[in-house]
Amino acid sequence: MTIKLVKAVRVKAVPGYKLDIAFSDGSFGVFDFSDIKTSRGEMALPLHDETFFARVVLEEGAPTWPNGYDADPSNIRMKLEAAGALHTKGAAA
């Protein structure tokens, strides 16, 4: 599998620890980030609070939270594609 390097161009938290995310190549999807609730890493712990999780912003093309935790947009895109949950504008419904 080839990894496609992309940046996130839009991100919005949606209920249930999900990210509605669009990428620089025109693809988009809703990524389930709920596994973060099982992470015990110091940087991940604040994200267990869904209100804090909702404070996601884009920083240099990566979803980032106020405490500095960030997520790799290329990895998110790859996981969405593998799950069949990656969409492109103009794709048949």
Side-chain angles (χ1 to χ4, degrees):
M1 176 186 292
T2 302
I3 296 175
K4 186 169 189 167
L5 298 178
V6 293
K7 290 185 176 186
V9 295
R10 179 186 51 77
V11 68
K12 179 182 177 187
V14 293
Y17 297 90
K18 294 182 172 90
L19 295 178
D20 182 352
I21 188 166
F23 302 98
S24 56
D25 67 351
S27 62
F28 59 95
V30 176
F31 182 70
D32 185 349
F33 215 85
S34 61
D35 284 350
I36 195 69
K37 296 184 296 182
T38 63
S39 177
R40 298 292 170 225
E42 184 177 324
M43 293 294 287
L45 286 175
L47 279 74
H48 293 194
D49 175 4
E50 197 163 3
T51 301
F52 187 87
F53 181 82
R55 294 175 60 193
V56 66
V57 296
L58 286 180
E59 189 171 292
E60 297 184 23
T64 305
W65 285 265
N67 67 338
Y69 187 97
D70 64 357
D72 176 14
S74 295
N75 189 39
I76 292 172
R77 186 195 181 285
M78 181 178 64
K79 288 179 177 180
L80 284 170
E81 185 174 28
L86 187 69
H87 309 284
T88 57
K89 290 177 173 70

